[in-house]
Amino acid sequence: MVIKHNLSAQNADRMFVQTTKAKAKNMEKLASGYKINRAADDAAGLYMSEKMRRQVRGLSQASSNCQEGISLVQIADGAMEEVQDMLHRGNELCVKAANGTLTVEDRNYIHMEIRQLLQEINNIGERTTYNEIPILQGTGFRFIEDDPSIIAVGGLPDWVPVGSKNNLREEYITQETYKYTDVNGNPATQVFDITHEAATIDFRQFHGSESQIRELIGNGFYSTCCTCTNHYSIKFTGGTSSKLEVSGNHFIYNIGIEGAKDASELIQRIIQGTDNGNPRGHFTKMVEDNGKLIVYDDRCNAPRPQLPVGNGATVGSWDGWKNHQFWIRAHDVYGRFGPGVAYSIDDVQDFARKQGVHIQAGCEPGQHINIALPFISTPVMGISQVDARTQDGASAGIIAFKKAIEYVSDERSRMGAYQNRLEHTINNLDNVVENTQASESRIRDADIAKLMVEFVTKQVLSQTGQAMLVQSNQSRDGILSLLQ
């Protein structure tokens, strides 16, 4: 018998402490419902569980994303259904206008209704949105309504002002020489100051820096002829050479601007690359004016000059009284009025579908479904110029509306296919979430029945441990009896 050490009591105490700790952990698991409450409980299991939790939560959100995608597609389909109804009505009106029993006045009223239908089709195409996102405008770029052959995108940097403060047109004065025959039959000339409506593009802030050149490359502007359907697009490119691309009545001048040192050199490259500032030898003129590019029509609205002509006078060669209208116009991605780069209608449908709405349909990068948005616009459907005021125009309109109906049917079919795909994706995601959740549950969730058995065992051991500590301490009483 010893006094210093009570080994039996120490052993009973150690076992009691272990039992108490184990019972506390059992209580923690029973209270939380998890058998892994900290990394120390199961390091490998915690790693696997957290990985599965990330997947479950990500896939659950992906399923919700797909539901939103279905809502977007359904809105687009509903809007196109209304457009298709209007196209059927337009086709019906053209068939009616093609009938020879109608008068000119009858066809004028039919044409009036067709124009209203076309306007509303454009309105639906522009105003249909989902969460403020245009969903019937392809990538968001807009056609010019009165210009069916081009789509304008891009623009010029803010440091390149265009036009005047209030609009894109300014006055530009040139001197025109008028040749005539005087009263004596002798040839004579007289010089007049002619005022033109012109567009001004101010490059004076250009100083040839690499950053400015990079901002200009890929951007530009375009102009349209005032009396025909020609379009001239100036697009800035790398390199120093220029190249002309022709698509129908659209002429795209690619102007190389690398190495241009100042505004004057930049403008000279534009002029040299556009048939010396007179694209295709047509009426559009481009000249430099102290760092500004002046683009104007070389005809004007000035009256025929009043010359002192008499008998034998002949009309000179100047024809500036014919027409004066001229614009540089475009829409950027925000629908604002400003300069832009033009693309031909030959490529517009594919161009509009290059990008779309990405639906994140998984929990990993790149797991998305790309919805190529429809482009609903009368120009892209080829019906913006339908004219039912004549029988021939009405007959042409029948063909145009037929193709437009086929176009919208194709777009609606694509939207329906997207919806079916998204619904299948949701079903698959929900299935993966359910089974992954079950797997994660097996790793992390507590088995309550098993824990209760263990808890009762630890509780009994704890009570017996306390009893053994009492018995161990009572063994010291024998030593006191020896000392009496």
Side-chain angles (χ1 to χ4, degrees), residues 28-46:
E28 183 182 38
K29 292 174 182 178
L30 286 167
S32 66
Y34 293 116
K35 63 181 176 182
I36 301 175
N37 291 289
R38 58 181 62 83
D41 292 339
D42 184 353
L46 177 72

Side-chain angles (χ1 to χ4, degrees), residues 17-81:
V17 170
Q18 289 180 359
T19 301
T20 302
K21 288 182 178 179
K23 186 174 70 170
K25 286 187 177 181
N26 272 34
M27 293 176 67
E28 183 182 38
K29 292 174 182 178
L30 286 167
S32 66
Y34 293 116
K35 63 181 176 182
I36 301 175
N37 291 289
R38 58 181 62 83
D41 292 339
D42 184 353
L46 177 72
Y47 176 82
M48 295 172 62
S49 173
E50 291 297 333
K51 183 168 61 174
M52 289 180 179
R53 281 188 173 185
R54 170 186 170 274
Q55 186 177 14
V56 166
R57 294 181 66 171
L59 293 177
S60 297
Q61 182 58 53
S63 178
S64 178
N65 292 348
C66 291
Q67 290 284 3
E68 294 179 9
I70 289 176
S71 297
L72 181 149
V73 167
Q74 287 177 332
I75 292 174
D77 180 60
M80 287 190 290
E81 182 181 6

Side-chain angles (χ1 to χ4, degrees), residues 84-105:
Q84 205 161 40
D85 286 342
M86 287 188 283
L87 292 176
H88 283 300
R89 175 58 178 166
N91 179 73
E92 180 183 2
L93 290 171
C94 283
V95 172
K96 183 176 183 179
N99 192 15
T101 62
L102 299 182
T103 66
V104 173
E105 185 178 6

Side-chain angles (χ1 to χ4, degrees), residues 381-417:
M381 291 190 288
I383 56 175
S384 62
Q385 302 301 309
V386 169
D387 190 340
R389 288 173 293 188
T390 64
Q391 275 189 283
D392 289 341
S395 298
I398 295 173
I399 299 173
F401 275 111
K402 177 183 176 181
K403 292 181 178 178
I405 291 170
E406 291 173 352
Y407 174 82
V408 176
S409 297
D410 178 62
E411 294 299 284
R412 292 188 65 190
S413 296
R414 286 198 311 113
M415 294 300 104

Side-chain angles (χ1 to χ4, degrees), residues 66 70 74 418-428:
C66 291
I70 289 176
Q74 287 177 332
Y418 282 132
Q419 181 171 342
N420 291 336
R421 179 182 176 182
L422 288 168
E423 289 175 351
H424 287 301
T425 301
I426 290 172
N427 292 338
N428 179 61

